[in-house]
């Protein structure tokens, strides 16, 4: 903090003015070496053998030793390397390059491959490429840890016996006594040998197989044979699934990607089955061809139809008409008959008596009895 001349109150220093930024010599040296190796010399590169850098405040001096490809004009080629190095060092480090020195140590024949034209779209991109080997750090670490622990315990016990005159550890003497009293025919010895054989076979399998079954090697790019790239199986399966889902009429797409083929299963809701199968095979093949794999995958398509699917040009059979159910209180108002099939009487009349004989007069007819007639006249 500093004191202001007027009030004498100490003033705080701004955060931007506190501390300083220091660029190490090693960082500047690496930038200079990489920049010198990146200089484009008519399609060829310079090889850096040694580099040095000295930073003083905001300035730096850089120097590199290079090996130029033969034939090359030393003055012009060295100037190109020096200009590229000074420009990149100033750009990336923020320092002022006070002196940039390039020393040509030797000339070497150019053995880099000749530039090749980019591959055409019609030319297959497949090529020979090996699967990357897995480092398998976990099994190696477990084996190393167990071996180190057993060896360390045995070494400590042996040194304590010979140097400190101590008695051997009970676990070591007990192990020796047990091995002396048990032969190869014992069950425990046979079981231990079987376990050791299985573990040894597993370790040999890990050592002789590449692993990394979840990735697929991609074809090398012409001119960059040392660069290797891999593609995850799940990414390839997702790409094929998205491409197949865009086919009209296809639903419920499932894709399983293997090392040599891709299995695609889908359901068809509408459309022609044969044409849809061909469209799915074509779409999957196009998507797989654009991945640039070293070994092209072969698609295998399985298409199933939905329960409501019908072939194109066929209409579903019309449903048979069904009679409406009778009302709960009896026959409908327009039926004219009851449930037994007997005609209903006209409004205002009495229904015939079911117990009366067929020849007897009904209740609506007037009898021929004279007594009844007289009573009616009176």
């Amino acid at each position: 903090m500093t004191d202001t001349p007027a009030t004498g109150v100490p003033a705080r220093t701004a955060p931007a003015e506190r501390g300083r930024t220091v660029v190490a010599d090693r960082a500047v040296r690496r930038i200079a070496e990489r920049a010198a190796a990146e200089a484009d010399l008519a399609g060829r590169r310079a090889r850096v053998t040694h580099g040095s850098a000295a930073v003083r405040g905001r300035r730096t001096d850089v120097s590199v030793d290079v090996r130029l490809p033969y034939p090359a004009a030393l003055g012009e080629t060295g100037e190109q390397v020096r200009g590229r190095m000074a420009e990149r060092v100033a750009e990336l480090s923020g320092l002022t390059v006070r002196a940039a020195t390039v020393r040509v140590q030797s000339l070497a024949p150019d053995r880099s491959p000749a530039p090749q034209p980019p591959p055409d779209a019609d030319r297959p991109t497949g090529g020979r490429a090996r699967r990357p080997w897995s480092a398998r750090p976990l099994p190696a670490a477990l084996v190393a840890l167990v071996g180190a622990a057993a060896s360390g315990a045995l070494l400590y016990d042996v040194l304590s016996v010979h140097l400190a005159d101590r008695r051997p550890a009970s676990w070591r003497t007990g192990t020796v006594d047990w091995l002396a009293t048990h032969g190869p025919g014992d069950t425990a010895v046979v079981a231990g040998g079987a376990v050791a054989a299985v573990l040894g076979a597993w370790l040999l399998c890990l050592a002789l197989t590449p692993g990394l079954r979840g990735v697929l090697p991609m074809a090398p790019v012409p001119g960059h044979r040392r660069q290797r790239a891999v593609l995850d199986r799940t990414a390839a399966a997702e790409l094929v699934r998205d491409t197949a889902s865009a086919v009209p009429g296809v639903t419920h797409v499932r894709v399983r990607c293997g090392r040599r083929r891709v299995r695609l299963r889908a359901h068809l809701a509408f459309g022609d089955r044969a044409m849809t199968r061909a469209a799915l095979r074509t779409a999957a093949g196009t998507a797989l061809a654009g991945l640039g794999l070293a070994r092209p995958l072969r698609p295998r398509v399985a298409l199933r139809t939905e329960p409501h699917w019908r072939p194109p040009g066929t209409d579903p059979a019309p449903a048979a008409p069904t009679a409406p159910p009778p009302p709960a209180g009896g026959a409908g108002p327009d039926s004219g008959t009851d449930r037994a099939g007997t005609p209903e009487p006209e409004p205002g009349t009495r229904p015939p008596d079911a117990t009366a004989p067929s020849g007897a007069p009904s209740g609506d007819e007037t009898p021929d009895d004279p007594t009844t007639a007289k009573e009616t006249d009176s």
Side-chain angles (χ1 to χ4, degrees):
M1 292 184 295
T2 59
D3 297 338
T4 58
T7 60
V9 179
R12 295 184 178 180
T13 306
E17 300 178 359
R18 302 173 188 171
R20 59 175 182 171
T21 302
V22 178
V23 181
D25 298 347
R26 181 176 58 180
V28 178
R29 176 178 58 83
R30 291 184 177 181
I31 295 175
E33 293 176 351
R34 182 64 61 87
E38 292 176 352
D40 188 6
L41 308 177
R44 300 178 296 177
R45 303 288 182 180
R47 182 178 178 182
V48 179
T49 59
H50 182 263
S52 62
V55 179
R56 295 177 177 84
R58 302 300 301 175
R59 296 182 179 183
T60 180
D61 298 338
V62 292
S63 175
V64 293
D65 299 342
V66 297
R67 179 180 298 176
L68 298 180
Y70 179 84
L74 298 182
E76 181 180 356
T77 305
E79 186 63 25
Q80 293 180 4
V81 175
R82 192 188 68 82
R84 172 67 177 179
M85 179 181 61
E87 178 183 357
R88 291 293 289 173
V89 169
E91 178 183 357
L92 297 179
S93 66
L95 303 176
T96 302
V97 179
R98 185 174 58 179
T101 306
V102 174
R103 291 187 293 267
V104 180
Q105 295 291 337
S106 61
L107 297 176
D110 186 16
R111 298 181 180 178
S112 60
Q116 300 180 3
D120 299 333
D122 299 335
R123 187 173 62 183
T125 58
R128 294 184 178 180
R130 298 179 180 179
R131 287 173 52 192
W133 283 66
S134 173
R136 293 188 172 97
L138 183 59
L142 291 178
V143 172
L145 182 61
V146 171
S151 302
L154 181 60
L155 179 62
Y156 173 78
D157 186 62
V158 171
L159 292 178
S160 63
V161 170
H162 290 277
L163 298 180
D165 295 333
R166 297 180 181 178
R167 299 183 59 184
S170 59
W171 61 267
R172 187 159 67 95
T173 57
T175 303
V176 173
D177 295 341
W178 187 89
L179 292 176
T181 57
H182 292 76
D186 295 343
T187 304
V189 176
V190 173
V195 172
V198 171
L199 290 178
W202 177 60
L203 293 177
L204 287 177
C205 180
L206 294 180
L208 300 178
T209 55
L212 296 179
R213 300 182 61 87
V215 297
L216 300 170
M218 302 183 67
V221 180
H224 301 276
R225 298 292 179 180
R226 297 183 179 180
Q227 297 181 3
R228 296 181 180 181
V230 294
L231 179 65
D232 194 17
R233 287 189 188 180
T234 56
E238 290 179 1
L239 178 61
V240 175
R241 181 171 61 250
D242 295 342
T243 306
S245 301
V247 177
V250 176
T251 58
H252 301 88
V253 181
R254 292 184 301 173
V255 179
R256 184 178 180 182
C257 182
R259 291 180 56 190
R260 298 186 178 182
R261 61 179 57 91
V262 173
R263 295 176 177 87
L264 189 149
R265 298 180 181 180
H267 289 187
L268 180 62
F270 61 89
D272 186 74
R273 187 173 183 178
M275 295 180 61
T276 306
R277 186 192 301 274
L280 284 175
R281 188 177 290 106
T282 303
T286 304
L288 294 175
L291 296 179
L293 300 177
R295 178 181 296 178
L297 301 177
R298 294 177 295 177
R300 178 175 295 181
V301 179
L303 185 62
R304 296 182 180 181
T305 57
E306 296 284 358
H308 59 273
W309 176 83
R310 294 293 182 275
T314 59
D315 297 332
T322 57
D334 300 332
S335 62
T337 58
D338 57 4
R339 295 183 181 179
T342 307
E344 293 184 356
E346 296 294 335
T349 60
R350 294 178 56 189
D353 191 1
T355 60
S358 60
S362 62
D364 295 339
E365 297 180 355
T366 304
D368 296 337
D369 190 3
T371 308
T372 309
K374 290 180 180 181
E375 292 179 356
T376 305
D377 294 338
S378 61

